[in-house]
Amino acid sequence: MTDKHDLLPMFKTVAARVDKRSFDDVTRASVITDLGVDSLSMMQIVGEMETELSIQIPDEDLVEIVTVGDLCSRVERRLV
Amino acid sequence: MGSNKQEVEVSYDVSNEFFRLWLDERMNYTCAVFESEHQSLEAAQLNKLSILSDFAKVTANKSVLDIGCGWGACLEYLATSRSVKRAVGVTLSSSQAEEVNRRKLPGVECVESDFMKWETTEKFDALVSICMLDHLCSPEEARKGKAIDIYRAYFKKCHEVTNPGAWFGLQTILRNKIPRIKKDLEDIYFCTHVIFPGGLNPRLEDIVQAVNPYWEIITVKQRRHDYERTTAEWLRRMRLHEARIRQEWGDHVFDDYDRYLSTCVRAFDQFYSSLAQYELRRLDA
């Protein structure tokens, strides 16, 4: 099981797999659009994290995500 | 606001002959309701019209308004199978209005107008509206948080054109889960922007919120798998005419509609989209 208090390493791994490039320098404060991740890739990253963690994030939780930390927090909330 | 006349004509005015090739004989371009595994599309479309007419409490002595009447399948059903004294349809599409009026159905009149701007002093006893609400709110308006206000204005207008005691048989496509697969997202984006520009399917909770304070929801029926089956049958029939469609309307028409209908089948299967029918009762002071 992934460390339930920090999903950042998983985000880096999944984002690298989806976008086929390195996300090693990303922090929780990184703005997702500044990383060059478009909305389609973003939803695919969400989907792969949901599958790996066997969780479902409601769509309304995804509407106001701006930073990597926003996304990680919403996933972490489902793991508590 | 939502789909304008030009955008509606993109969706419905490719050619009446084109749609006639793959829709049922009455040209219903909305979800059918199948009663059995072997029921035909034609019978299932009549079944849908029967359900919505029952929701609207249609009887022969009533006047009925069909909001977004398409090519007049429901108007014809109301005039012939239910023998209503007067059935009025409203559509933004010129070719649909011409098609309906050309048939000279008894007691039927079709008005070419934007329902939200339509000025009439006539009051109706019953309403039917089949998948017209999906054209009212654009993706941009939904992103700005305007969806509920737009749908509520529609239900207010519906209230204004009815007599006290009216009932309403409503059918809407719904959007549900956002796909997590890039190709599915691209395909749905294509359908929203190329085939049905200007419109966005509502969420069920939008409808539940927006009917107040004008209408009371008595019944909601979910028909997701009926629409999956309907679109699969449209796709099957359209592919039978591939050569003619490519020759008469161009490769892009066949390819676009093949992609659109294939996307619909998958969207209903995967619960990205759904369909609901509502029995609504007018709220009177």
Side-chain angles (χ1 to χ4, degrees):
Chain A
M1 176 58 146
T2 307
D3 178 355
K4 68 181 179 182
H5 298 297
D6 186 7
L7 266 289
L8 182 60
M10 175 184 270
F11 173 84
K12 291 179 180 179
T13 304
V14 173
R17 189 163 66 229
V18 169
D19 253 21
K20 298 181 175 53
R21 58 195 171 94
S22 172
F23 283 79
D24 287 349
D25 297 335
V26 167
T27 69
R28 292 178 75 97
S30 301
V31 174
I32 291 175
T33 52
D34 290 348
L35 300 173
V37 176
D38 64 23
S39 57
L40 302 185
S41 296
M42 162 78 174
M43 291 311 300
Q44 194 160 338
I45 292 167
V46 169
E48 295 203 11
M49 292 177 80
E50 286 178 322
T51 301
E52 288 196 23
L53 296 166
S54 300
I55 59 167
Q56 289 280 319
I57 304 171
D59 288 348
E60 59 266 29
D61 279 9
L62 302 172
V63 173
E64 292 178 351
I65 289 175
V66 176
T67 67
V68 173
D70 292 338
L71 171 57
C72 290
S73 300
R74 281 159 176 76
V75 177
E76 288 156 4
R77 202 181 301 158
R78 297 286 146 190
L79 296 173
V80 174
Chain B
M1 191 168 92
S3 307
N4 59 34
K5 183 172 172 62
Q6 287 73 33
E7 289 168 333
V8 163
E9 289 181 348
V10 166
S11 306
Y12 299 107
D13 288 8
V14 173
S15 154
N16 288 354
E17 280 311 303
F18 167 69
F19 290 106
R20 214 183 301 278
L21 289 177
W22 48 277
L23 298 177
D24 64 294
E25 60 200 1
R26 291 190 182 204
M27 292 181 74
N28 287 275
Y29 194 14
T30 52
C31 175
V33 176
F34 293 88
E35 288 181 312
S36 68
E37 189 183 342
H38 301 292
Q39 190 170 38
S40 69
L41 178 63
E42 281 70 14
Q45 289 291 11
L46 277 176
N47 190 38
K48 176 265 299 290
L49 297 174
S50 170
I51 290 166
L52 291 172
S53 299
D54 287 347
F55 279 180
K57 307 289 182 282
V58 168
T59 54
N61 61 339
K62 288 187 176 178
S63 62
V64 186
L65 176 64
D66 179 358
I67 305 164
C69 63
W71 288 285
C74 185
L75 292 170
E76 183 172 346
Y77 172 80
L78 292 167
T80 57
S81 298
R82 297 294 185 111
S83 304
V84 300
K85 64 176 183 184
R86 178 161 166 76
V88 175
V90 180
T91 177
L92 255 181
S93 162
S94 307
S95 69
Q96 290 183 334
E98 283 168 18
E99 166 67 20
V100 176
N101 288 323
R102 183 189 61 77
R103 302 214 297 271
K104 300 192 187 315
L105 298 163
V108 169
E109 178 190 350
C110 183
V111 179
E112 182 187 331
S113 176
D114 177 342
F115 172 66
M116 297 304 294
K117 295 174 184 165
W118 183 44
E119 293 182 6
T120 179
T121 55
E122 188 171 359
K123 305 286 185 187
F124 296 87
D125 303 314
L127 299 182
V128 176
S129 187
I130 308 174
C131 297
M132 175 274 192
L133 190 140
D134 323 323
H135 288 290
L136 290 178
C137 181
S138 70
E140 294 72 25
E141 289 167 326
R143 272 196 290 277
K144 291 176 184 169
K146 295 181 178 177
I148 303 299
D149 287 344
I150 290 171
Y151 298 139
R152 184 167 285 136
Y154 164 83
F155 286 114
K156 180 173 186 284
K157 174 90 177 187
C158 292
H159 193 274
E160 288 169 354
V161 298
T162 49
N163 289 313
W167 289 76
F168 186 176
L170 173 69
Q171 178 166 306
T172 71
I173 308 177
L174 298 172
R175 73 179 198 278
N176 293 304
K177 186 178 169 64
I178 300 171
R180 283 12 180 199
I181 299 169
K182 196 181 271 190
K183 183 180 182 308
D184 290 349
L185 283 163
E186 289 170 341
D187 286 339
I188 288 174
Y189 182 91
F190 163 81
C191 295
T192 304
H193 289 81
V194 176
I195 304 294
F196 289 104
L200 179 72
N201 299 330
R203 288 184 174 275
L204 180 58
E205 56 267 34
D206 296 342
I207 305 296
V208 171
Q209 203 174 336
V211 293
N212 280 306
Y214 305 106
W215 299 87
E216 178 183 13
I217 298 177
I218 305 299
T219 306
V220 180
K221 293 281 188 185
Q222 186 274 117
R223 309 285 191 191
R224 175 164 65 96
H225 290 299
D226 287 287
Y227 218 170
E228 180 185 352
R229 189 167 159 190
T230 301
T231 49
E233 177 62 11
W234 289 342
L235 178 60
R236 187 189 71 79
R237 292 180 181 202
M238 194 194 72
R239 285 177 173 168
L240 294 176
H241 301 283
E242 178 175 353
R244 181 179 167 193
I245 292 168
R246 288 189 184 281
Q247 185 178 6
E248 289 195 27
W249 293 283
D251 289 338
H252 72 284
V253 169
F254 181 83
D255 293 338
D256 284 356
Y257 274 80
D258 195 270
R259 182 180 183 186
Y260 150 59
L261 292 171
S262 302
T263 300
C264 290
V265 174
R266 178 163 173 78
F268 291 113
D269 175 60
Q270 295 293 308
F271 199 34
Y272 303 149
S273 303
S274 187
L275 184 120
Q277 295 177 313
Y278 316 73
E279 177 186 32
L280 305 178
R281 178 167 58 195
R282 182 181 140 127
L283 287 172
D284 297 312

